[in-house]
Amino acid sequence: MYEGLNIRSEIGRLRKVMLYRPGGELLNLSPDTLGPLLFDDIPFLEEAQREHDCFARLLADEGVEVLYLDQLVAEALDAAPGARREFCKRWLDESGLDGHAARRAVRELLDSIEDTRAMVDKCIEGVRADELDLSPERAASLADLMLTDKNAGSPLVIDPIPNIYFTRDTFTVIGSGVSLNSMLSRTRRREGVFGEFVMRYHPEYAGTPTWYTSDLPHNVEGGDILVLGPDVIAVGISERTSSAAIDELAHRLLWGEPSSGISRVFAFSIPHKRSFMHLDTVFTQVDVDTFTVHPGILGTLVVFELTRGSHMGEVSIRRLDDTLDVILARALGLDAVRLIKCGGEDPIASVREQWNDGSNTLAVAPGRVLVYQRNAVTNDILDREGIELLEIPSAELSRGRGGPHCMSMAFWRDAV
């Protein structure tokens, strides 16, 4: 058994991982809500679940223990008296629902669900007006009245959380501790509640050292954090993660107690656009000395190295003017690294497969990675370069704009 958390690389033999199987939240997506809920299209749930089950099965076949976020949350809530009530209140507060009668009706709905995991799944799925008694007679305020059938602007009282199957973002394991991330968008901010309660109340993870907390004012998301080695991480300055958040995270990692073991933080400034939303969408590590990379970032990156300064609590920042391969080799303590371009030299294949997360891989061991099947050009190149591939069908999962790395949060890896 591999208890607790232990992530000191991106490629060590993967022993334990957390996923979330897509559920009813995808059925509550509609064309009108795609933009606010950060989706470009509506996945076909049944096929998305089949694809995700294949993903989980491939991991299990590699000897990886697969955990599920909703089950972990349920176990945490059942483990501590009062935790379920506290969770429901916090989730309701984060939902933005106004109106005393409406909040009371939602609480009654959640309280009526006896099984804790089913209740957690309901929080993820969202709440429709037709599930509640929101008659005008029960309205206690104008906010309540505007949710009743005649006045409602939407059939949803509380939006679903469809992005939650990208478990990489909600919190990040670094060493034996965790960054409880503060998500940029309101719709994803609710995801942080789930990770918080796991780390606060779950019997196996309660008391885990915390390197960042979701109540901090600056945004950081897990797709922007790569654990390159026992003492070094990379963080993206991106559309979703601010430089101020990296300042705070770096200070805690470099100077905090207990020690994180991190002595260097590399900050990569990447284009602030949806197709490059996180650092792990533009490069991921596939072997000891090999990365897959989107060629569109080559020559455009601005990189900084953050280390301890000469005085207590001080962080030293230095800009690095080398090429990406040189910077990564230095971070890893190697003479050189290989960069394998997503889509190769074909400019159309490159942007097409980048859009479908061709650079977003999940290593189960050095040189053995999970990839989306649909990225045929990139996969062929990786295969020819000696990387062993485990291909996931991805017609529907890819509609959410995230790949195997995005859909997983590694809990335990062996040393490289």
Side-chain angles (χ1 to χ4, degrees), residues 107-161:
R107 278 304 305 265
E108 290 171 358
L109 173 66
L110 296 181
D111 289 345
S112 72
I113 303 173
E114 186 174 341
D115 180 74
T116 303
R117 185 173 185 177
M119 185 276 292
V120 171
D121 289 339
K122 185 62 198 168
C123 291
I124 295 169
E125 180 182 309
V127 179
R128 297 166 57 116
D130 59 14
E131 297 178 275
L132 307 172
D133 180 5
L134 291 176
S135 61
E137 293 74 23
R138 290 196 68 187
S141 65
L142 181 59
D144 289 323
L145 196 59
M146 292 306 294
L147 293 171
T148 59
D149 289 342
K150 190 175 293 185
N151 302 309
S154 166
L156 287 164
V157 172
I158 296 178
D159 285 337
I161 312 178

Side-chain angles (χ1 to χ4, degrees), residues 64-250:
V64 181
E65 181 183 358
V66 177
L67 309 175
Y68 287 92
L69 174 62
D70 51 343
Q71 182 63 38
L72 289 175
V73 176
E75 290 168 358
L77 300 186
D78 287 339
R84 175 168 163 155
R85 177 170 292 275
E86 181 187 353
F87 172 86
C88 290
K89 182 182 184 305
R90 176 71 188 284
W91 172 80
L92 259 175
D93 291 343
E94 291 287 346
S95 74
L97 179 64
D98 296 314
H100 295 302
R103 288 175 64 94
R104 185 167 59 251
V106 172
R107 278 304 305 265
E108 290 171 358
L109 173 66
L110 296 181
D111 289 345
S112 72
I113 303 173
E114 186 174 341
D115 180 74
T116 303
R117 185 173 185 177
M119 185 276 292
V120 171
D121 289 339
K122 185 62 198 168
C123 291
I124 295 169
E125 180 182 309
V127 179
R128 297 166 57 116
D130 59 14
E131 297 178 275
L132 307 172
D133 180 5
L134 291 176
S135 61
E137 293 74 23
R138 290 196 68 187
S141 65
L142 181 59
D144 289 323
L145 196 59
M146 292 306 294
L147 293 171
T148 59
D149 289 342
K150 190 175 293 185
N151 302 309
S154 166
L156 287 164
V157 172
I158 296 178
D159 285 337
I161 312 178
N163 298 277
I164 202 165
Y165 76 85
F166 300 122
T167 55
R168 177 70 49 168
D169 297 326
T170 310
F171 60 87
T172 306
V173 180
I174 304 171
S176 58
V178 66
S179 172
L180 296 172
N181 299 323
S182 176
M183 314 290 270
L184 173 65
S185 66
R186 175 176 173 177
T187 189
R188 296 207 69 183
R189 222 163 286 149
R190 293 172 293 160
E191 295 175 40
V193 178
F194 298 84
E196 265 183 57
F197 276 76
V198 170
M199 294 302 157
R200 186 182 304 169
Y201 293 122
H202 195 282
E204 187 168 344
Y205 304 109
T208 294
T210 303
W211 315 131
Y212 200 87
T213 55
S214 60
D215 59 344
L216 290 168
H218 307 296
N219 302 113
V220 59
E221 300 192 0
D224 277 313
I225 302 174
L226 300 175
V227 181
L228 297 180
D231 67 339
V232 57
I233 67 166
V235 189
I237 309 169
S238 72
E239 181 187 65
R240 307 284 182 87
T241 295
S242 72
S243 53
I246 298 172
D247 282 332
E248 179 67 32
L249 177 62

